[in-house]
Amino acid sequence: MAMDGPDGWVWVRRPAEEESWRPWTAEEEEERPLKVVFSSPAEYFTDAAPIGNGSLGAMVWGGVSSDKLQLNHDTLWTGVPGNYTDPKGPGVLAEVRQLVDQGRFADATASAKGLFGGQSEVYQPLGDLNIEFSTSDEVYDSYKRELDLHTATALVTYVIGGVQYTREHFCSNPHQVIVTRFSASTPGHVSCTLSLSSQLNHSVTVTNENGMIMEGICPGQRPAMRENGGDNATGIRFTAALGLQMGGGAAKVIVQNDQKLKLDSADWVVFIVAAASSFDGPLVNPADSKLDPTSLALSTLNYSRNLTFDQLKAAHLDDYQSLFNRVTLQLSRGLNDACSSVIQKDRPEEVAEDIRTSADRVKSFSTDEDPSLVELLFQYGRYLLISCSRPGTQVSNLQGIWSQDIAPEWDAAPHLNINLQMNYWPALPCNLSECQEPLFDFLGSLAVNGIKTAKVNYQAGGWVTHHVSDIWAKSSAFLKNPKHAVWPMGGAWLCTHLWEHYQFSMDKDFLENTAYPLLEGCANFLVDWLIEGPGGYLETNPSTSPEHAFIAPDGKPASVSYSTTMDISIIREVFLAVLASAELLGKADIDLVERIKKALPRLPPIQIARDRTMLMQALDFKDPEVQHRHLSHLFGLYPGHTIAMDNDPDVCEAVANSLYKRGEDGPGWSTTWKMALWARLLNSENAYRMVLKLITLVPPGGKVEFEGGLYTNLWTAHPPFQIDANFGFAAALAEMLIQSTQSDLYLLPALPRDRWPTGSVKGLKARGDVTVDIRWKEGELHEAVLWSSNDRNTVARLHYGKEVAAVTVRRGIVYRFCSGLRCLETWPLCK
């Protein structure tokens, strides 16, 4: 007997054991629907359905009289490579440090404005594929629009005059195209007019009856700089190319005004869209780029046009499902859950779950607490990560890859003080490690620019970056307010992802060739950045707790002080990662390692305030925003690992007190961070309260009176839309079901047993390159299956509640444990 395992492996059962082993019943293995469902065309951007292949993305609006595919490409940004250095920096730095030493925190905050760098550049939309239908004046019914997460396909169906019309959309990673198929239940009924448009400077050319191209250019500067008479730099050039396939004896195409294609009387039509840009990396000026986006887009399009729709879809499914199907999750309230969750109590019995819109399900969640909606939202986070971050693409920005505005909120730029990091939190535990590769490419570019910033601005070695960046790997500080800008820890936080990737993958080549050089450069900056402070400790000065101000002892508002808890927590995490990496790679005798060993014991310890919460700053300042959205001072618990329940009970109590003090309100990303923190504290009740808090419907369009929640397409809200909480939710839910260190694996550590008493999860990853399947019944562990395809894993103990068992996980062996953590059987994992 064989069952699917990780990455092409299978579980092979020995015949003698065949009868004794039954992992799941057929009913438990049944694939549940995972669909985001709508009952009408999109009215707002956050009603549309997102599809993407990592680089190219589209929003499916699903209009009937007219429709559009809103197009994005991850390389379309304003600007050109910048100069991220300031020779005045060292003088300003000395002044700020002196003011901090004198306790003049408000003056230090004002002076720190001299450390500002420039603004980041702005993510730009590609344009629209516009579709006008000949049936625009006719009445339609039976409308349905859905995004199927199992197939990464958006489907639109409706009926006009007894004819059912169907549109199917997907975005292929193997072929790098968007594919759309229109069909009708009656031959000869597909007619429409196609055009391409963009908010950017562009031109459209109909190449023949089967295609058109749109060529354009991004602004060479962000809008505000152009308005102020800045230099007119050459921006990134781009091309979108459209190709057609049609069927039907009466089908014909007419070119209109050299700008549109009018299709008539087809049985079916397939549109294929390819796009490319002249972006050739963050260090190459677009004016110097040798890339021809038109040639690239047409080459991609022409290859795909030689394939049928079914061939394109098959390749798309093989690629997408090889990632998505690695993890399954089923949550249930018990034996009768199939009835209670699928059908609303006040609805007729024939109204099933998959007919209810996702918006309706979110609205009713506060009363029905449908576990299948939690499953959907978890898998939606994984779907979005697959769709907006793949090897070779740009890093996922504040909106993933989807944006409709030339001036999106916060420029849609990567923010490095929580948001970019949260985008990649689920990559490792949710078994999508490949999707994290763009983050490491981005780090490499940040390090190149950050070396110059560290040297010129701070007279320090190594490399540094701050809290906002862009496609050009901006490494200097932001501007506008010191509480945002004066924070040189963005690169250091990102570097913790390097060590995490090694801990999950145990890939020594990655550690040696990718992770360690970046960690080493980051640590070199940090040891130079640390200076002598009070009480014999080393300090960071200036220091801020991201986006948070305080009231100084003189009663003045300020944000700049020294040695904030987050600074020290991140530095400690990076230093420990460098020491462990150096030991593994035989570099333990280098000078940097010695400097770190001397610095570590001199880092300030975590301090607990008078109210038994954790201090954010080195001093117990008055907090003007007690319920602030950021949870920076709790970094050491999650996503860090320097605070642990077993070793730091007093500190963990202070973390809990801090969370209570912060309250439950906040943007979506803050809610999911709290969810993960409560999970690390093993507090399933409060972790679940954050689930309830997030699953609240946000009305589209107008001003919203609360923070957080979900839009009708299940995107998470700040508001406005930010994608980070979609990823944060998936990661936090995984944290409720499994937690791990290099030596310890914890099963169901924060399971809300009264809400999900029965369930299973398959394919989650733990540190040590361990894959874990878990099944539980009546709120208790029923069985766990785990294995590793790596001989470097060091897992030594398995935990469930108060039960602890010593384990050895050998490469290529599958282990099955019962509820008492006794190993019932093993068998080989074979390629």
Side-chain angles (χ1 to χ4, degrees):
M1 175 181 179
M3 294 191 66
D4 289 340
D7 305 325
W9 293 74
V10 293
W11 301 354
V12 178
R13 302 292 297 132
R14 292 187 295 273
E17 297 169 336
E18 190 82 35
E19 296 302 320
S20 65
W21 181 72
R22 186 193 60 80
W24 328 113
T25 65
E27 181 181 350
E28 291 163 335
E29 279 287 296
E30 183 180 354
E31 183 179 276
R32 301 197 192 190
L34 291 170
K35 296 179 180 181
V36 184
V37 179
F38 312 84
S39 62
S40 62
E43 184 177 355
Y44 298 94
F45 180 61
T46 52
D47 297 331
I51 58 174
N53 64 13
S55 178
L56 181 62
M59 297 295 290
V60 178
W61 286 61
V64 175
S65 61
S66 64
D67 194 8
K68 64 180 175 183
L69 284 182
Q70 206 158 31
L71 306 175
N72 289 102
H73 194 277
D74 66 343
T75 62
L76 299 196
W77 286 74
T78 64
V80 298
N83 175 15
Y84 308 119
T85 64
D86 183 0
K88 299 176 183 177
V92 176
L93 179 61
E95 178 184 332
V96 173
R97 284 176 167 172
Q98 184 177 32
L99 291 169
V100 169
D101 289 343
Q102 294 170 355
R104 297 166 58 186
F105 300 113
D107 292 337
T109 301
S111 180
K113 294 178 181 179
L115 296 172
F116 287 176
Q119 284 187 288
S120 59
E121 293 296 341
V122 187
Y123 185 52
Q124 301 288 279
L126 193 163
D128 298 331
L129 170 57
N130 304 294
I131 309 151
E132 301 170 42
F133 296 97
S134 60
T135 55
S136 59
D137 296 329
E138 300 183 44
V139 177
Y140 66 92
D141 59 22
S142 303
Y143 182 94
K144 187 173 183 179
R145 180 166 53 98
E146 64 184 28
L147 176 63
D148 188 342
L149 305 189
H150 283 301
T151 60
T153 302
L155 188 70
V156 180
T157 61
Y158 54 90
V159 174
I160 295 179
V163 178
Q164 177 169 301
Y165 294 87
T166 301
R167 304 178 211 155
E168 188 175 359
H169 312 266
F170 62 86
C171 198
S172 167
N173 180 272
H175 293 104
Q176 289 296 301
V177 290
I178 296 169
V179 182
T180 293
R181 187 179 194 271
F182 288 5
S183 60
S185 59
T186 301
H189 275 65
V190 176
S191 300
C192 60
T193 301
L194 306 176
S195 62
L196 289 168
S197 62
S198 176
Q199 299 177 67
L200 303 177
N201 186 12
H202 73 284
S203 63
V204 174
T205 303
V206 175
T207 54
N208 52 48
E209 292 183 350
N210 292 314
M212 68 175 78
I213 61 172
M214 178 172 67
E215 297 170 299
I217 188 168
C218 296
Q221 291 177 311
R222 56 179 295 122
M225 296 179 70
R226 296 199 308 275
E227 293 166 6
N228 293 330
D231 294 336
N232 188 21
T234 299
I236 297 170
R237 292 175 292 117
F238 65 88
T239 298
L242 169 68
L244 305 181
Q245 300 173 349
M246 290 191 301
K252 60 182 178 179
V253 180
I254 300 173
V255 178
Q256 292 187 332
N257 303 321
D258 293 325
Q259 296 287 300
K260 297 181 179 181
L261 293 174
K262 187 175 188 298
L263 289 66
D264 277 323
S265 305
D267 295 350
W268 55 264
V269 60
V270 173
F271 311 148
I272 304 174
V273 177
S277 84
S278 63
F279 177 75
D280 197 18
L283 306 179
V284 177
N285 194 303
D288 301 326
S289 174
K290 306 302 182 186
L291 297 179
D292 179 357
T294 300
S295 295
L296 292 170
L298 287 175
S299 175
T300 300
L301 176 65
N302 290 334
Y303 180 80
S304 297
R305 287 172 70 171
N306 293 322
L307 301 174
T308 66
F309 176 82
D310 289 341
Q311 289 172 324
L312 290 167
K313 187 174 180 181
H316 158 69
L317 291 177
D318 285 347
D319 166 74
Y320 170 75
Q321 291 177 342
S322 69
L323 296 172
F324 185 79
N325 290 350
R326 291 175 184 175
V327 175
T328 63
L329 173 68
Q330 294 191 3
L331 303 174
S332 174
R333 283 189 293 245
L335 295 176
N336 297 321
D337 189 59
C339 296
S340 61
S341 70
V342 170
I343 299 174
Q344 284 183 300
K345 297 174 183 176
D346 57 349
R347 283 181 169 278
E349 289 188 4
E350 65 270 14
V351 181
E353 173 190 52
D354 63 354
I355 295 178
R356 294 172 59 199
T357 68
S358 298
D360 287 338
R361 296 177 68 188
V362 173
K363 284 180 185 177
S364 65
F365 189 79
S366 61
T367 54
D368 64 26
E369 299 185 32
D370 180 3
S372 66
L373 182 56
V374 178
E375 296 172 19
L376 177 65
L377 194 57
F378 169 80
Q379 294 287 24
Y380 192 45
R382 297 182 68 247
Y383 163 82
L384 290 171
L385 187 57
I386 295 169
S387 301
C388 75
S389 186
R390 300 288 284 273
T393 72
Q394 301 306 303
V395 76
S396 172
N397 65 48
L398 268 187
Q399 297 183 185
I401 54 173
W402 300 278
S403 176
Q404 65 173 343
D405 300 316
I406 57 173
E409 293 289 343
W410 302 293
D411 302 330
H415 282 55
L416 280 59
N417 63 3
I418 175 60
N419 315 97
L420 178 58
Q421 288 86 346
M422 185 176 285
N423 281 9
Y424 289 96
W425 281 358
L428 296 172
C430 297
N431 211 338
L432 295 172
S433 61
E434 301 94 327
C435 294
Q436 205 174 20
E437 288 185 24
L439 181 65
F440 304 142
D441 295 338
F442 186 54
L443 264 170
S445 300
L446 287 171
V448 172
N449 288 333
I451 288 173
K452 303 169 191 174
T453 304
K455 181 178 180 179
V456 175
N457 294 25
Y458 302 127
Q459 294 181 334
W463 65 273
V464 65
T465 193
H466 296 74
H467 106 282
V468 176
S469 191
D470 54 29
I471 198 170
W472 308 111
K474 177 186 182 299
S475 55
S476 58
F478 194 55
L479 56 113
K480 293 185 179 180
N481 194 316
K483 71 179 182 180
H484 300 87
V486 185
W487 191 71
M489 294 290 148
W493 186 349
L494 287 177
C495 276
T496 65
H497 285 245
L498 295 163
W499 178 240
E500 283 286 89
H501 187 86
Y502 171 74
Q503 288 191 99
F504 273 86
S505 68
M506 307 304 291
D507 183 344
K508 198 169 181 180
D509 288 339
F510 168 83
L511 181 66
E512 183 168 15
N513 300 314
T514 301
Y516 189 79
L518 291 167
L519 281 164
E520 183 180 41
C522 174
N524 270 314
F525 170 77
L526 294 176
V527 292
D528 283 353
W529 182 248
L530 288 165
I531 59 176
E532 292 292 330
Y537 290 114
L538 297 174
E539 70 175 14
T540 57
N541 177 5
S543 180
T544 60
S545 193
E547 303 186 21
H548 206 131
F550 58 86
I551 304 300
D554 59 7
K556 297 178 181 179
S559 57
V560 174
S561 63
Y562 66 94
S563 297
T564 59
T565 300
M566 186 179 220
D567 274 12
I568 303 304
S569 297
I570 290 175
I571 291 171
R572 183 175 284 113
E573 202 89 23
V574 171
F575 281 179
L576 291 172
V578 171
L579 292 183
S581 301
E583 184 69 29
L584 286 164
L585 299 174
K587 300 176 182 288
D589 58 346
I590 65 174
D591 178 64
L592 175 62
V593 169
E594 291 305 311
R595 294 180 70 190
I596 289 174
K597 287 181 177 179
K598 291 177 181 178
L600 260 175
R602 298 187 61 199
L603 294 178
I606 290 172
Q607 298 188 72
I608 297 176
R610 292 185 296 269
D611 63 359
R612 303 301 298 168
T613 61
M614 277 181 60
L615 282 185
M616 282 185 294
Q617 318 284 342
L619 301 175
D620 198 354
F621 296 120
K622 182 179 179 181
D623 187 352
E625 291 186 85
V626 172
Q627 295 189 331
H628 193 272
R629 59 194 175 276
H630 277 264
L631 304 154
S632 308
H633 54 316
L634 311 183
F635 169 91
L637 179 67
Y638 187 93
H641 302 277
T642 52
I643 300 172
M645 287 287 288
D646 294 340
N647 303 326
D648 309 287
D650 291 341
V651 175
C652 287
E653 180 186 6
V655 171
N657 291 337
S658 298
L659 284 168
Y660 285 123
K661 187 175 181 179
R662 275 289 194 265
E664 296 183 350
D665 294 334
W669 58 262
S670 181
T671 302
T672 57
W673 195 356
K674 291 169 185 172
M675 181 179 162
L677 285 162
W678 282 121
R680 278 277 170 94
L681 290 173
L682 312 184
N683 190 319
S684 60
E685 179 181 354
N686 283 337
Y688 185 77
R689 287 179 64 84
M690 296 301 100
V691 175
L692 287 168
K693 191 71 179 177
L694 184 70
I695 304 180
T696 304
L697 190 66
V698 178
K703 182 176 175 58
V704 179
E705 299 299 327
F706 61 90
E707 292 185 308
L710 303 174
Y711 292 104
T712 59
N713 66 359
L714 300 189
W715 270 349
T716 51
H718 186 288
F721 159 55
Q722 278 186 205
I723 202 167
D724 37 29
N726 283 110
F727 302 130
F729 182 84
L733 187 61
E735 203 71 20
M736 295 169 72
L737 301 178
I738 181 175
Q739 295 177 25
S740 64
T741 68
Q742 284 296 92
S743 58
D744 293 81
L745 177 56
Y746 299 83
L747 305 176
L748 307 179
L751 175 71
R753 289 168 168 77
D754 56 335
R755 296 317 203 276
W756 310 327
T758 300
S760 65
V761 65
K762 298 173 65 178
L764 290 182
K765 299 292 282 191
R767 288 165 183 83
D769 191 22
V770 175
T771 306
V772 183
D773 296 351
I774 310 172
R775 186 156 58 115
W776 63 95
K777 291 183 176 181
E778 298 179 356
E780 297 296 336
L781 176 67
H782 182 68
E783 67 178 9
V785 176
L786 55 98
W787 67 91
S788 176
S789 54
N790 197 303
D791 55 13
R792 293 193 181 98
N793 88 79
T794 55
V795 175
R797 288 173 295 276
L798 189 62
H799 301 252
Y800 172 65
K802 296 182 179 179
E803 299 286 335
V804 182
V807 297
T808 300
V809 181
R810 294 188 176 89
R811 179 182 186 272
I813 302 296
V814 181
Y815 300 82
R816 176 174 168 247
F817 296 88
C818 66
S819 58
L821 302 187
R822 182 168 59 89
C823 184
L824 298 178
E825 54 183 335
T826 64
W827 61 92
L829 178 70
C830 297
K831 200 69 170 172

